[in-house]
Amino acid sequence: PFISLAYGKQSAPTVALIIALTIALSVIWALLLGIGEIEYAARSKFSVFLKHIFLNPLILAVITAVVLSAVGIQLPSVFKSILQLLAVTAGPVALFAEGAFLQGTNFLADWKGATALTFLKLIALPALTILFLHIFKTNSLSAEIAVLQAGMPVAATNFIFAKQYGIAPRLVASSTLLSVIVSFFTLAILLYLIPFLEI
């Protein structure tokens, strides 16, 4: 929504491509390697580890989507509508779960870690993206959208993984909350600075 507001409908193809690539790389990197390491540490048998990895709903969803796309199977419109409704509600539900989790917890106890993660997400990642775009040139619209996408706050879906696997859920929730608040300012600054970056 932020990118659409800033650039209008012309940004839709670039945003869609960035989201698709982000999801694909996240599945390979975060799920197979990150969650794989967690699962393997919890289960000594390699076969049990593989079973838990490839029965993960997110991995199953991606594998199913790739297979359906490869063989050219089109889902009936009613299923597409249902899946689109689920996709639209996933983010808000994750944020609601995060808010419910934070209620009654001392989320300020993780302020150092949350500040570090917020800095990395909102400032370091856009800076790395700008550096990358100076090395590998692309058209200006795609470059500007990439920088803004890199500067978005910590995604609520990170909390779902943190809670599911019991890895610092309070820190992740605090990071999301802080990064959303700070991003009101950092995204505005990025939007102002982008014309001067010559990317």
Side-chain angles (χ1 to χ4, degrees), residues 34-109:
I35 293 176
E37 185 178 340
I38 295 164
E39 291 283 4
Y40 188 62
R43 297 167 177 83
S44 56
K45 288 186 178 179
F46 189 68
S47 58
V48 177
F49 154 71
L50 287 178
K51 177 184 174 183
H52 279 265
I53 283 296
F54 288 102
L55 289 181
N56 184 294
L58 284 174
I59 292 178
L60 281 176
V62 172
I63 291 172
T64 303
V66 169
V67 170
L68 290 177
S69 178
V71 298
I73 295 176
Q74 292 289 327
L75 292 174
S77 58
V78 63
F79 288 115
K80 285 184 179 178
S81 299
I82 292 170
L83 290 173
Q84 285 172 348
L85 285 172
L86 288 172
V88 169
T89 58
V93 168
L95 283 172
F96 180 81
E98 215 164 351
F101 172 81
L102 281 174
Q103 193 274 330
T105 65
N106 182 20
F107 61 88
L108 291 175

Side-chain angles (χ1 to χ4, degrees), residues 85-170:
L85 285 172
L86 288 172
V88 169
T89 58
V93 168
L95 283 172
F96 180 81
E98 215 164 351
F101 172 81
L102 281 174
Q103 193 274 330
T105 65
N106 182 20
F107 61 88
L108 291 175
D110 293 314
W111 72 270
K112 287 184 180 178
T115 302
L117 288 172
T118 298
F119 171 80
L120 289 171
K121 184 66 184 79
L122 300 184
I123 297 172
L125 189 57
L128 283 173
T129 304
I130 291 166
L131 178 63
F132 183 85
L133 289 167
H134 274 101
I135 299 170
F136 301 97
K137 295 288 185 181
T138 184
N139 68 72
S140 60
L141 177 64
S142 296
E144 291 175 14
I145 291 172
V147 171
L148 286 173
Q149 284 290 109
M152 291 294 164
V154 176
T157 47
N158 292 316
F159 171 75
I160 303 302
F161 288 115
K163 191 77 174 74
Q164 180 180 355
Y165 291 98
I167 299 176
R170 188 177 66 183

